[in-house]
Amino acid sequence: MATLSSSSSSILLRPHSPLSSLPPLPSSLSFSPFRPKSPLKSRIFTISNSSPISTPPPLPSFRSKPPSQTTVLVAGATGYIGKFVVRELTSRGFNVISIARRRSGTRGLNDADQTLKLLSGSTVCFSEVTDLTALNLALDDLSLPSIDVVVCCLASRSGGIKDSWAIDYQASINTLLAGRRLGASHFVLLSAICVQKPLLEFQRAKLKFEAELQRMAMESPGFTYSIVRPTAFFKSLGGQVETVKDGKPYVMFGDGKLCACKPISEEDLASFIADCVMDADKACKILPIGGPGQALTPLEQGEMLFRLLGKEPNFLKVPIGVMDFVIGVLEFLSKLFPALEDAAEYGKIGRYYAAESMLVLDPETGEYSSEKTPSYGKDTLEEFFERVIREGMAGQELGEQTIF
């Protein structure tokens, strides 16, 4: 297993022979090692029906190779979903390169040795995805002949304004540029289903990167993408299991029917993401995905939990207006004290998840649709609740995402 530090300034960027066969990067997303922080320039694309567009033939697809000869770069490898993606890809026989910081995990609790153990089976490249120059130097030191696919599982930990644009947008751009420079012809992005109705800063950042990714595919023959938009994760619904087990009420907003979801387990989502690596039918598509079964409201989730615990239902219903009042106060104060901007944003995030369903938004009706939200996998929320009741939430900590 190779490990890397990006601190050495004596390493030179080395050319890779396979790049000579790649189509040039579009000027809006070109990489220059001497100007790594040049701003991206937005461009408007028009297609004229009167004159044909001449494009070079597509490159031979990496999908014709066996997994053992296919190199997949995973960014966000130590994240909640990323570590399961690494595990799934390695189990399928892919040559996996995992990008990780030397201090990883929630609040940087894991050191380098713990990270190596977590990502065993893959080659760990220690670097910072927020620094394009460092990322390229670190990857060059691996002396890779090429990269076939990039899987990006990056997500801001807090959802704060600056963090969202630094991670959900810029770090994702850096990962895209670094992968393309080494020949990657497919990019799998872990996004979120909530970007359908973008009211939050991290949603806008994700959508902007999705647009850049799609634009690159338009300009670059032979380059494809898969944008995966999952519904709620199991861990986001498990925060109240232990409190209810201890006899406290199940907290929900309004009547408990304001938001519904088809939650998906980390293993099932990782399996779907791994499918996107080789499945040509999933290329150049936005792919909403949920877990098996019908959508569940918070009320139904609470009733399930009480049934599994053998307890009488005990709900605490909080008016959604309480959150609106708090957000209003925080927004007012943030105008006087800019340091409170993120606090106001966190309030908006909590309000969004309390009121909006994590399902496909039907463009015809403007309503969320359980029927139009695809299902995948075999793990159910009931099985997850049963496991947490027995074993607790170890390994499922919400960290900075905690609401209740």
Side-chain angles (χ1 to χ4, degrees):
M1 180 185 301
T3 61
L4 237 200
S5 170
S6 61
S7 60
S8 174
S9 60
S10 63
I11 301 174
L12 296 177
L13 293 175
R14 294 188 292 274
H16 295 266
S17 57
L19 293 181
S20 61
S21 62
L22 282 172
L25 289 178
S27 59
S28 60
L29 286 176
S30 60
F31 166 72
S32 169
F34 304 104
R35 292 177 298 180
K37 297 184 179 180
S38 298
L40 297 169
K41 297 180 180 179
S42 300
R43 296 172 58 189
I44 299 176
F45 299 92
T46 59
I47 298 177
S48 171
N49 293 325
S50 58
S51 57
I53 299 175
S54 176
T55 58
L59 297 172
S61 174
F62 65 90
R63 296 180 179 90
S64 62
K65 300 190 297 185
S68 60
Q69 297 177 23
T70 304
T71 300
V72 182
L73 180 70
V74 180
T78 59
Y80 176 62
I81 299 299
K83 58 180 176 285
F84 287 95
V85 170
V86 169
R87 188 180 305 169
E88 180 68 22
L89 289 170
T90 56
S91 72
R92 296 190 186 192
F94 289 99
N95 177 28
V96 179
I97 311 297
S98 300
I99 302 174
R101 296 170 298 163
R102 287 198 169 274
R103 301 294 308 188
S104 65
T106 303
R107 301 182 181 91
L109 295 178
N110 295 336
D111 61 20
D113 288 338
Q114 290 170 309
T115 298
L116 290 171
K117 183 177 179 181
L118 178 70
L119 302 174
S120 62
S122 72
T123 298
V124 179
C125 173
F126 286 110
S127 189
E128 290 286 344
V129 290
T130 54
D131 185 334
L132 181 57
T133 299
L135 179 58
N136 278 292
L137 288 170
L139 289 171
D140 276 352
D141 202 40
L142 293 178
S143 299
L144 300 169
S146 65
I147 289 172
D148 298 295
V149 182
V150 176
V151 176
C152 181
C153 297
L154 294 171
S156 57
R157 292 192 177 278
S158 65
I161 295 173
K162 290 182 179 179
D163 192 43
S164 294
W165 285 101
I167 303 300
D168 293 292
Y169 177 71
Q170 189 58 57
S172 299
I173 286 287
N174 292 347
T175 304
L176 173 61
L177 293 176
R180 285 291 284 153
R181 189 179 66 90
L182 292 176
S185 58
H186 186 54
F187 193 101
V188 182
L189 172 67
L190 174 60
S191 186
I193 204 166
C194 62
V195 300
Q196 300 170 109
K197 193 173 182 179
L199 303 178
L200 305 169
E201 210 65 27
F202 82 87
Q203 296 165 337
R204 299 184 186 102
K206 285 182 180 293
L207 280 176
K208 185 174 182 182
F209 176 69
E210 286 189 11
E212 298 284 2
L213 183 60
Q214 292 170 305
R215 183 178 295 120
M216 175 172 277
M218 287 175 59
E219 291 187 289
S220 306
F223 177 72
T224 57
Y225 63 86
S226 297
I227 296 173
V228 181
R229 292 180 176 176
T231 63
F233 302 154
F234 279 3
K235 78 166 183 177
S236 65
L237 306 179
Q240 297 192 71
V241 175
E242 293 181 342
T243 59
V244 171
K245 185 179 178 180
D246 291 338
K248 297 177 182 177
Y250 186 93
V251 182
M252 58 189 183
F253 291 94
D255 61 1
K257 300 178 181 179
L258 288 175
C259 54
C261 62
K262 296 176 75 170
I264 187 168
S265 72
E266 57 270 30
E267 290 94 344
D268 283 341
L269 179 55
S271 177
F272 183 81
I273 290 171
D275 290 347
C276 293
V277 169
M278 299 296 275
D279 189 349
D281 289 339
K282 291 181 172 61
C284 293
K285 291 180 181 178
I286 293 176
L287 303 162
I289 195 69
Q294 293 298 309
L296 297 170
T297 65
L299 177 61
E300 291 168 328
Q301 296 163 28
E303 290 172 340
M304 177 191 297
L305 181 55
F306 285 115
R307 174 173 55 80
L308 293 173
L309 289 167
K311 293 178 177 288
E312 286 295 319
N314 178 19
F315 293 101
L316 176 59
K317 299 180 180 180
V318 180
I320 197 73
V322 170
M323 298 188 76
D324 292 332
F325 174 77
V326 172
I327 292 168
V329 171
L330 289 171
E331 285 189 313
F332 172 76
L333 291 175
S334 68
K335 294 176 182 177
L336 303 174
F337 308 100
L340 292 176
E341 276 188 313
D342 275 353
E345 189 70 11
Y346 301 151
K348 293 176 187 178
I349 292 172
R351 205 260 187 223
Y352 189 100
Y353 286 120
E356 301 291 339
S357 291
M358 298 295 109
L359 300 169
V360 168
L361 190 62
D362 189 335
E364 296 179 359
T365 65
E367 302 291 332
Y368 292 105
S369 172
S370 174
E371 291 72 23
K372 293 191 175 183
T373 305
S375 295
Y376 181 91
K378 56 182 177 55
D379 298 335
T380 66
L381 182 64
E382 183 170 348
E383 292 168 339
F384 172 74
F385 279 168
E386 288 175 337
R387 186 169 73 248
V388 174
I389 289 171
R390 292 192 311 268
E391 305 170 7
M393 285 284 285
Q396 299 282 341
E397 295 83 1
L398 291 172
E400 296 167 83
Q401 301 171 4
T402 303
I403 295 176
F404 294 112

